[in-house]
Amino acid sequence: MKDSILILSGGMDSVTLLYDYQERIALAVSFDYGSNHNSRELPFAALHCQRLGIEHLVIPLSFMGEYFHSSLLEGDEAIPEGDYAESNMLSTVVPFRNGIMLSVAVGMAESRGLQHVMMANHGGDHTIYPDCRPEFVSAFDAAAQAGTFEGVSLVAPYTNMTKGQIAMRGRELGIDYSETWSCYRGGEHHCGRCGTCRERREAMAQAGIDDPTVYED
């Protein structure tokens, strides 16, 4: 049954996917690519893997922070405040981030004799992040299968779900979302003002969850 690698950030979506598909996940891989909030996410990724007895690796991608342009890589003051919408969140795009991470994960899957790579993109990402959209998922899946001897495939079961629906699934699974991180600023507490904090709050409300997150505002 252990046939998959999961790309695990430590955020709500990928932690939910970790619990949802734990019986299939042989390895969870996190990437340290120099974002403002990597240091806040990664300990949660490690925590949940330890709890479930799933191997966890952190792979450094420091070149992205050095050579790529994104407000996500430029300090907390560069992160825009306001709603989770294209006009507001466009600066947070890290060019082809998912494509790079998935490529590494596909190579690791084939190296370990695993059949699938999982990612936790969702419907709310589609208008903002090109490498979260259904057409990207389909194209990358085809490329991965064509480019590996054993036909490693991409599995992205939350692609057409809202974050609220993912939170509902997390509630069913009994996940404590205080043990996840969303805020792009990466401070001591969630800022409560940036798009990801607002999206997090809305998802909790839609799922009927009493939000356990500590917000600055």
Side-chain angles (χ1 to χ4, degrees):
M1 293 295 291
K2 297 279 186 176
D3 60 0
S4 303
I5 287 180
L6 168 67
I7 295 179
L8 178 67
S9 69
M12 286 180 64
D13 310 318
S14 62
V15 167
T16 304
L17 192 58
L18 177 74
Y19 281 85
D20 208 356
Y21 286 80
Q22 59 184 285
E23 293 185 357
R24 291 182 54 182
I25 298 169
L27 171 66
V29 180
S30 302
F31 294 94
D32 187 351
Y33 59 98
S35 76
N36 302 328
H37 62 304
N38 266 158
S39 63
R40 302 295 290 152
E41 288 183 314
L42 295 177
F44 287 128
L47 169 70
H48 292 289
C49 287
Q50 182 180 32
R51 185 174 291 162
L52 296 175
I54 294 172
E55 183 183 358
H56 178 239
L57 296 176
V58 178
I59 297 177
L61 296 177
S62 57
F63 71 90
M64 295 175 70
E66 185 174 356
Y67 297 115
F68 288 19
H69 177 70
S70 168
S71 62
L72 209 60
L73 307 170
E74 296 168 1
D76 65 325
E77 294 303 319
I79 300 298
E81 297 182 357
D83 292 334
Y84 193 82
E86 180 179 8
S87 59
N88 192 47
M89 298 296 288
L90 195 59
S91 74
T92 66
V93 173
V94 179
F96 208 60
R97 174 182 59 180
N98 284 346
I100 293 166
M101 294 177 180
L102 286 168
S103 295
V104 174
V106 167
M108 293 185 69
E110 183 155 59
S111 296
R112 289 185 174 226
L114 300 172
Q115 192 61 44
H116 309 288
V117 171
M118 294 184 174
M119 67 181 292
N121 60 309
H122 64 81
D125 293 331
H126 294 174
T127 60
I128 304 166
Y129 303 108
D131 54 0
C132 289
R133 296 171 185 165
E135 54 267 37
F136 169 81
V137 172
S138 297
F140 194 95
D141 176 50
Q145 293 195 51
T148 52
F149 283 109
E150 299 301 324
V152 175
S153 67
L154 173 58
V155 178
Y158 295 167
T159 298
N160 293 311
M161 292 173 63
T162 66
K163 198 177 189 77
Q165 290 171 326
I166 294 171
M168 289 176 195
R169 180 58 182 149
R171 184 184 64 184
E172 294 170 356
L173 293 166
I175 297 172
D176 179 1
Y177 281 127
S178 70
E179 298 176 332
T180 63
W181 189 266
S182 299
C183 182
Y184 278 172
R185 290 185 179 273
E188 183 178 355
H189 302 295
H190 284 72
C191 74
R193 300 181 301 276
C194 70
T196 48
C197 281
R198 292 191 178 202
E199 184 196 38
R200 180 185 178 96
R201 281 175 152 165
E202 290 171 2
M204 299 272 197
Q206 289 168 7
I209 296 172
D210 186 11
D211 191 350
T213 310
V214 176
Y215 297 101
E216 293 176 359
D217 184 3

